[in-house]
């Protein structure tokens, strides 16, 4: 059996940036055991597999524990592979492909009008969201993040609990540098979030770290080391919901961008556009560049 793979940097504005995702394809279907071993071999958060014999839903995602759901990064990597395989439909300067995986279905797009190095992959979502102003006091949040209260909240942006796929406490900070320097006091995690049942904290600040985005973001959970900058793609719907519920956000279409990390630590750049018509619903397009970094085949099976 011939098993090949492509390695992509997703949400990468340049090579050696963004999040690493491998897409694996074989000339015969792989069984569960093979997929688990291959996913473990790469050691990435997830690995995408392509089963060409399944014409309706050829793509699936695995980690070293088993099959898992598509996220922002794996969706864009799968879309890139689908477009490279010619599975997309050409429509007025862009390609579109409907990504299917069981009950999961998402529309993906690629801008064909741009130069190759400038092409964006995007996917669309229409979601409901909930928000809550009841959050821990700023002093408690600051203490848990080992930062000063004066670095939290600014202008119209205040901490708020938002939920699309899971409840997230969004905490605005005054500058990107404060986002980078925040350090979670893990002993305070449970008491800080127990009353609001949040599963993660998303820190945001206006501006960028050595790049050209409108916001800088960072995911905080006890799972990661204090200085880590894990991918934030999975929290972008919550970030959009947060922007929708902020005072002064007008109804209509909005475009913005958010980066994660720094040029020295696999910086990601995420473009997003969302339609807000009031209430607790939004439509969005989330996109970024997908850079092909390597293509090879497995020698052992």
């Amino acid at each position: 059996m011939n098993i090949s793979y492509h390695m992509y940097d997703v949400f990468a504005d340049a090579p050696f940036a963004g999040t690493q995702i491998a897409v694996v394809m074989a000339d015969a279907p792989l069984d569960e055991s093979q997929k688990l071993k291959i996913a473990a071999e790469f050691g990435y958060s997830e690995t995408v597999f392509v089963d060409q014999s399944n014409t309706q839903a050829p793509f699936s995602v695995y980690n070293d524990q088993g099959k898992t759901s598509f996220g922002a990064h794996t969706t864009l990597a799968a879309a890139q592979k689908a477009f490279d395989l010619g599975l997309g439909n050409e429509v007025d300067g862009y390609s579109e492909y409907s990504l299917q995986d069981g009950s999961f279905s998402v529309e993906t797009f690629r801008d064909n009008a741009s130069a190759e190095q400038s092409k964006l992959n995007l996917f669309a979502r229409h979601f409901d969201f909930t928000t809550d102003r009841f959050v821990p006091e700023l002093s408690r949040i600051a203490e848990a993040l080992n930062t000063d209260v004066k670095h939290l909240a600014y202008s119209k942006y205040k901490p708020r609990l938002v939920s699309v796929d899971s409840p997230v406490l969004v905490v605005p900070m005054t500058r990107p540098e404060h986002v980078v320097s925040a350090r979670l006091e893990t002993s305070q995690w449970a008491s800080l979030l127990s009353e609001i049942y949040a599963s993660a904290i998303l820190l945001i600040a206006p501006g960028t770290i050595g790049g050209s985005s409108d916001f800088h973001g960072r995911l905080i959970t006890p799972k990661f080391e204090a200085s880590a900058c894990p991918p934030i793609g999975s929290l972008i719907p919550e970030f959009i919901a947060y922007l929708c519920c902020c005072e002064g956000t007008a109804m209509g279409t909005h475009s913005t961008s958010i980066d994660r990390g720094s040029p020295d630590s696999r910086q990601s750049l995420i473009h997003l556009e969302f339609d807000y018509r009031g209430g607790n619903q939004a439509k969005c397009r989330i996109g970024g560049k997908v850079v092909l970094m390597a293509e090879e085949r497995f020698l052992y099976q």
Side-chain angles (χ1 to χ4, degrees):
M1 182 189 301
N2 182 39
I3 304 176
S4 62
Y5 64 86
H6 288 71
M7 292 174 54
Y8 296 104
D9 285 348
V10 181
F11 292 123
D13 212 32
F16 303 104
T19 300
Q20 298 161 298
I21 297 290
V23 179
V24 178
M25 186 169 65
D27 54 11
L30 298 170
D31 60 31
E32 295 289 303
S33 175
Q34 290 172 307
K35 291 179 180 179
L36 288 173
K37 290 177 181 178
I38 292 172
E41 184 71 18
F42 283 113
Y44 299 152
S45 56
E46 294 95 15
T47 298
V48 176
F49 290 88
V50 188
D51 179 1
Q52 296 185 87
S53 67
N54 186 345
T55 57
Q56 296 301 313
F59 294 94
S60 59
V61 180
Y62 281 75
N63 57 29
D64 58 0
Q65 300 299 309
K67 193 174 188 298
T68 188
S69 302
F70 273 90
H73 305 86
T74 48
T75 296
L76 289 195
Q80 180 67 39
K81 187 62 176 178
F83 295 135
D84 289 346
L85 290 172
L87 301 181
N89 297 316
E90 298 285 337
V91 182
D92 295 332
Y94 67 91
S95 297
E96 60 181 9
Y97 176 74
S98 181
L99 183 62
Q100 307 284 334
D101 181 33
S103 60
F104 174 86
S105 176
V106 64
E107 297 303 316
T108 68
F109 308 90
R110 180 169 67 178
D111 174 20
N112 293 335
S114 303
E116 188 62 36
Q117 66 272 20
S118 301
K119 292 183 185 297
L120 289 180
N121 283 1
L122 305 98
F123 66 92
R125 282 196 64 179
H126 182 189
F127 56 82
D128 298 327
F129 61 85
T130 60
T131 67
D132 196 336
R133 295 176 183 269
F134 176 71
V135 297
E137 295 180 354
L138 286 182
S139 59
R140 291 181 60 200
I141 297 174
E143 183 179 4
L145 295 175
N146 283 289
T147 192
D148 293 330
V149 173
K150 66 182 180 180
H151 298 327
L152 299 181
Y154 58 95
S155 182
K156 63 183 178 181
Y157 298 110
K158 309 297 179 187
R160 187 171 291 193
L161 181 71
V162 297
S163 181
V164 178
D165 298 316
S166 60
V168 174
L169 177 61
V170 181
V171 177
M173 305 189 77
T174 55
R175 297 176 62 87
E177 298 92 301
H178 304 321
V179 171
V180 173
S181 63
R183 294 292 182 270
L184 175 66
E185 194 69 50
T186 54
S187 62
Q188 298 187 33
W189 177 264
S191 61
L192 180 69
L193 300 183
S194 60
E195 297 176 354
I196 59 175
Y197 305 106
S199 58
I201 296 175
L202 177 63
L203 303 181
I204 62 169
T208 180
I209 298 291
S212 57
S213 66
D214 300 318
F215 291 90
H216 181 72
R218 181 178 166 204
L219 167 63
I220 301 286
T221 77
K223 175 182 177 182
F224 301 104
E225 296 180 3
S227 60
C229 292
I232 62 171
S234 61
L235 300 184
I236 294 303
E238 281 77 13
F239 174 56
I240 292 172
Y242 176 81
L243 295 178
C244 289
C245 69
C246 286
E247 296 179 8
T249 299
M251 288 188 286
T253 299
H254 303 263
S255 297
T256 188
S257 57
I258 184 169
D259 65 15
R260 178 230 41 146
S262 69
D264 298 325
S265 61
R266 301 198 64 86
Q267 188 170 37
S268 294
L269 177 60
I270 302 173
H271 300 271
L272 52 106
E273 182 180 81
F274 63 95
D275 303 322
Y276 179 55
R277 302 291 182 235
N280 291 325
Q281 291 186 333
K283 294 180 180 180
C284 70
R285 277 75 58 195
I286 300 171
K289 296 179 183 178
V290 179
V291 180
L292 176 61
M293 295 297 295
E295 49 184 329
E296 260 299 345
R297 66 183 182 88
F298 279 92
L299 299 178
Y300 302 97
Q301 301 168 25

